[in-house]
Amino acid sequence: MKHIRNFSIIAHIDHGKSTLADRFIQYCGGLSDREMDAQVLDSMDIERERGITIKAQTAALRYKARDGQVYNLNLIDTPGHVDFSYEVSRSLSACEGALLVVDASQGVEAQTVANCYTALDLGVEVVPVLNKIDLPAAEPERVCEEIEDIIGIEATDAVRASAKSGIGIEDILETVVQKIPAPEGNPDGPLKALIVDSWFDNYVGVVMLVRVVDGVLRPKDKILFMSTQAQHLCEQVGVFTPKSESRTELRAGEVGFIIAGIKELKSAKVGDTLTLVNNPASEALPGFKEAKSQVFAGLYPVESHDYDALRDALEKLQLNDAALNFEPEVSQALGFGFRCGFLGLLHLEIVQERLEREYDMDLITTAPTVVYEVVMKDGEQIEVENPSKLPDLGKIQEIREPIITSTILVPQDYVGAVMTLCNQKRGVQRNMQYMGRQVMLTYDMPMNEVVMDFFDKLKSTSRGYASLDYEFKEFQPSDLVKLDIMVNGEKVDALSLIVHRSTSVYRGRELASKMRELIPRQMFDIAVQATIGSHIIARETIKALRKNVLAKCYGGDITRKKKLLEKQKAGKKRMKQVGNVEIPQAAFLAILQVS
Ligand code: GTP
């Protein structure tokens, strides 16, 4: 165990984590150059295109250190985005150390800070690394100071590296060996292995990534899941180099995978402890909290006969994404669909994109919403995750909305603008701290304001410099109302929203006028009204238009005519017929454009 080091990389998006991980793999000879297809750790297609690491993966590296000894370095990849902070914490709890990679031309960002604090809380050794020192704009000295000021760890000796040009790679690996402690644990004790991650593989079923804390695990061992008491036969163990390689055993201190013929991801819960049926551990390792859906949206097929296909696709996605929840939902306007729960907005976007790209679904997505706690006058308490399901205000005692604590790091020049934005979004300032050139603002904010478009606004008011991290704090009573949109006198349930009373009239007006822009003119006048209860607060009219595409055909060219009809049909995609009006996808998300 002396020669094992388990570590993660904490980095803000784009600071170079994947590039660095690839360098490690290359340096340690895990893959030939030919196999190093761009960035190997980010294995999913979408990840490669967006450049975001989604699913934690791992690589076991063999490194010959300067002391002549060979060390086994286990790199556990962590996702960098705020939606996936829960995955970060579980990756970190399998490690003794973490490299904090900071872009030397940018500096420390909010998510990095949050992840570092998580690491320090878990007792993980944090080792700073300055990346991108090849850039002319790099300011390693300033960034070192920033790390010391903001995170509070010693950074003067931080390795200066460039993942891109390959500078400092060996120095980093050497620091890993020297600064990060070797794992402790009892190889002779009863097995205790923590499930760090699990996913579904089409060929072998569920694969579990585990950190063995005590004991040894071998194929043919009968394993016991401590939370469910389920038993399975261990079929295969191994490590990722990052290719999968079978091993004869996984010992205390090691990180590797287990395959045990499990068909459902639900049975291999991340955070659960594995032990052996024959020699069980007396207690489980400290578990994780389950990832809870924070953001909800309705997903509806454009063509109603695609409903079954959508359900199949969601089921398949769920095999690989235990954080995705869904249940059937019926909307008067949109028909049969699903209400889905996500970790955050990025998670929603990724799911939506995978459904469209990998499963070829045409979807209508309703505006994202948070979950509300509603206390009824008769004392009953319900959770509302779909605005159109909010009971009549007359029957409601109290509505409580989720509040988050957000941490924003922003250069001093933009503090004023960011504070104004936070106030607009009903934020309550909790703290403000100058840290070198940056300021750390802490605000309590209603989550429903944040799921709208807070992040984009934050970026635009700070020219992209501000960074945000948030966590759920509590539910708080709030003066909320339901805003409905009526199209030609009919309420469109999928367009209902829950908003704060203070902004409801303004938002209603803005929304109605946005609808006028977004809903295409049709053969008749369309009235769009925004209402709160029985009050109409805004009205817009979409004037009729006689749209006759065939008029352009000048006479009889039939192929031309067909083409035009074809084109018109394609243009209809992502439109939903609601009553006699066609409403495009964009209209369902119009609220995101209303501040
Ligand atoms: P996520 O996967 O989104 O979390 O990002 P990441 O932190 O893994 O960043 P990634 O490795 O994808 O790098 C982001 C960008 O920075 C890429 O365009 C890299 O080529 C570039 N980059 C990474 N390291 C260096 C470096 O040392 N110098 C320079 N100049 N560019 C770098």
Side-chain angles (χ1 to χ4, degrees):
M1 264 203 279
K2 264 197 354 253
H3 291 104
I4 300 178
R5 298 291 182 272
N6 296 313
F7 71 107
S8 283
I9 304 180
I10 297 175
H12 189 72
I13 292 165
D14 274 353
H15 282 203
K17 186 181 62 187
S18 311
T19 315
L20 193 63
D22 289 350
R23 283 284 175 188
F24 291 161
I25 293 165
Q26 206 175 22
Y27 186 94
C28 298
L31 289 174
S32 67
D33 286 348
R34 194 169 46 80
E35 285 170 310
M36 290 284 298
D37 175 14
Q39 290 177 354
V40 289
L41 278 190
D42 289 355
S43 67
M44 278 193 273
D45 250 13
I46 295 185
E47 283 185 24
R48 199 159 299 164
E49 274 177 36
R50 293 176 165 244
I52 297 169
T53 311
I54 299 163
K55 197 97 193 142
Q57 294 188 344
T58 176
L61 310 166
R62 287 174 69 77
Y63 168 65
K64 186 162 184 204
R66 290 180 190 147
D67 62 8
Q69 312 258 350
V70 173
Y71 289 83
N72 290 316
L73 310 183
N74 294 314
L75 167 61
I76 298 167
D77 196 13
T78 54
H81 193 275
V82 59
D83 278 8
F84 303 98
S85 59
Y86 162 80
E87 294 194 2
V88 176
S89 72
R90 68 195 200 198
S91 311
L92 286 173
S93 48
C95 299
E96 282 73 38
L99 293 177
L100 163 65
V101 174
V102 183
D103 182 334
S105 69
Q106 299 278 332
V108 176
E109 314 236 15
Q111 279 148 43
T112 332
V113 181
N115 290 340
C116 269
Y117 289 164
T118 309
L120 295 168
D121 282 349
L122 290 167
V124 168
E125 182 72 30
V126 177
V127 179
V129 171
L130 301 177
N131 190 30
K132 306 203 187 181
I133 51 145
D134 59 301
L135 291 177
E139 299 176 277
E141 306 310 320
R142 175 181 74 80
V143 173
C144 269
E145 270 175 35
E146 217 174 74
I147 295 175
E148 291 183 348
D149 281 349
I150 301 180
I151 296 165
I153 54 169
E154 174 70 34
T156 25
D157 301 337
V159 179
R160 272 92 167 138
S162 165
K164 195 167 173 185
S165 8
I167 303 167
I169 304 303
E170 194 187 313
D171 289 342
I172 301 176
L173 294 173
E174 201 57 36
T175 318
V176 166
V177 168
Q178 281 165 18
K179 293 238 175 99
I180 295 177
E184 290 172 1
N186 178 7
D188 303 320
L191 178 75
K192 270 190 193 177
L194 182 71
I195 308 181
V196 180
D197 197 2
S198 60
W199 59 93
F200 188 82
D201 181 283
N202 285 341
Y203 297 101
V204 297
V206 172
V207 181
M208 290 171 280
L209 179 70
V210 298
R211 159 70 195 269
V212 183
V213 176
D214 292 325
V216 183
L217 176 70
R218 300 185 181 90
K220 303 223 168 64
D221 282 344
K222 252 193 166 170
I223 51 176
L224 178 73
F225 289 74
M226 292 190 77
S227 75
T228 57
Q229 295 293 309
Q231 300 185 4
H232 289 273
L233 186 70
C234 175
E235 292 170 359
Q236 196 187 348
V237 301
V239 298
F240 296 103
T241 68
K243 282 181 299 186
S244 62
E245 275 182 14
S246 286
R247 291 281 152 92
T248 51
E249 59 181 29
L250 288 178
R251 299 178 64 81
E254 291 184 317
V255 175
F257 68 83
I258 305 178
I259 294 166
I262 300 171
K263 297 280 173 284
E264 281 197 316
L265 205 52
K266 278 181 237 150
S267 332
K269 278 217 175 86
V270 167
D272 200 354
T273 303
L274 295 181
T275 188
L276 295 182
V277 174
N278 294 334
N279 181 16
S282 52
E283 56 188 63
L285 295 160
F288 297 91
K289 53 180 177 11
E290 258 190 67
K292 205 166 175 274
S293 299
Q294 309 263 18
V295 172
F296 293 81
L299 298 187
Y300 293 85
V302 171
E303 303 292 344
S304 47
H305 58 253
D306 282 341
Y307 175 80
D308 287 333
L310 177 58
R311 190 189 45 229
D312 287 352
L314 282 167
E315 274 168 6
K316 286 211 183 95
L317 277 187
Q318 202 179 35
L319 285 178
N320 247 315
D321 183 353
L324 169 68
N325 292 309
F326 62 90
E327 50 185 71
E329 175 179 78
V330 188
S331 151
Q332 279 161 3
L334 299 179
F336 290 95
F338 296 92
R339 174 108 321 218
C340 304
F342 308 93
L343 295 175
L345 286 182
L346 178 77
H347 188 208
L348 185 162
E349 269 178 50
I350 289 169
V351 168
Q352 201 181 326
E353 209 168 304
R354 292 188 66 184
L355 287 169
E356 281 166 10
R357 191 183 311 190
E358 293 168 31
Y359 297 93
D360 206 18
M361 305 290 324
D362 280 329
L363 297 174
I364 295 281
T365 311
T366 63
T369 164
V370 297
V371 58
Y372 296 91
E373 277 182 9
V374 178
V375 186
M376 307 297 290
K377 286 205 169 127
D378 64 9
E380 195 195 352
Q381 185 172 326
I382 54 171
E383 291 197 343
V384 175
E385 56 207 38
N386 180 345
S388 71
K389 302 264 162 66
L390 187 73
D392 200 26
L393 280 187
K395 294 192 188 138
I396 294 177
Q397 181 75 29
E398 184 173 85
I399 307 179
R400 301 184 190 136
E401 64 176 339
I403 303 291
I404 55 166
T405 299
S406 58
T407 307
I408 299 165
L409 266 183
V410 59
Q412 287 184 16
D413 293 353
Y414 305 104
V415 172
V418 169
M419 284 168 62
T420 310
L421 175 69
C422 290
N423 290 338
Q424 268 173 13
K425 301 293 178 191
R426 300 191 281 130
V428 177
Q429 197 183 78
R430 293 287 172 219
N431 200 6
M432 174 168 175
Q433 220 174 332
Y434 282 80
M435 294 171 148
R437 276 201 218 169
Q438 300 209 63
V439 181
M440 185 148 103
L441 294 168
T442 313
Y443 273 84
D444 283 353
M445 250 188 289
M447 188 164 174
N448 90 343
E449 302 286 346
V450 176
V451 300
M452 294 296 182
D453 64 342
F454 181 73
F455 192 61
D456 290 345
K457 286 247 156 58
L458 182 68
K459 284 284 176 198
S460 60
T461 44
S462 66
R463 297 227 181 148
Y465 284 117
S467 56
L468 167 77
D469 187 77
Y470 63 77
E471 59 180 5
F472 170 78
K473 187 183 176 206
E474 62 187 2
F475 278 91
Q476 253 179 28
S478 181
D479 190 8
L480 300 165
V481 294
K482 182 156 73 97
L483 185 67
D484 292 311
I485 297 291
M486 319 250 279
V487 175
N488 270 352
E490 264 185 62
K491 196 189 285 175
V492 181
D493 57 355
L495 289 171
S496 295
L497 291 167
I498 294 177
V499 294
H500 196 257
R501 193 184 297 275
S502 63
T503 55
S504 57
V505 173
Y506 166 76
R507 282 190 164 144
R509 287 197 188 126
E510 286 284 299
L511 197 55
S513 100
K514 264 270 160 313
M515 291 292 164
R516 191 182 45 144
E517 288 167 29
L518 293 170
I519 298 178
R521 297 167 73 176
Q522 295 173 30
M523 301 293 204
F524 41 85
D525 279 2
I526 303 168
V528 178
Q529 292 162 308
T531 63
I532 294 173
S534 53
H535 298 284
I536 295 173
I537 54 170
R539 184 197 156 103
E540 297 274 350
T541 307
I542 303 164
K543 283 279 172 219
L545 169 89
R546 187 152 275 276
K547 188 169 89 184
N548 186 355
V549 283
L550 298 184
K552 288 187 199 149
C553 285
Y554 320 109
D557 182 346
I558 184 72
T559 52
R560 181 89 195 282
K561 199 163 164 182
K562 267 198 191 135
K563 230 185 217 164
L564 266 171
L565 287 172
E566 207 57 44
K567 215 162 131 195
Q568 202 190 28
K569 211 164 105 201
K572 267 192 195 151
K573 269 192 175 174
R574 315 266 267 151
M575 293 259 207
K576 196 85 191 179
Q577 185 86 28
V578 177
N580 55 358
V581 180
E582 281 192 329
I583 303 183
Q585 162 74 73
F588 292 97
L589 297 179
I591 184 61
L592 301 183
Q593 299 168 26
V594 175
S595 53

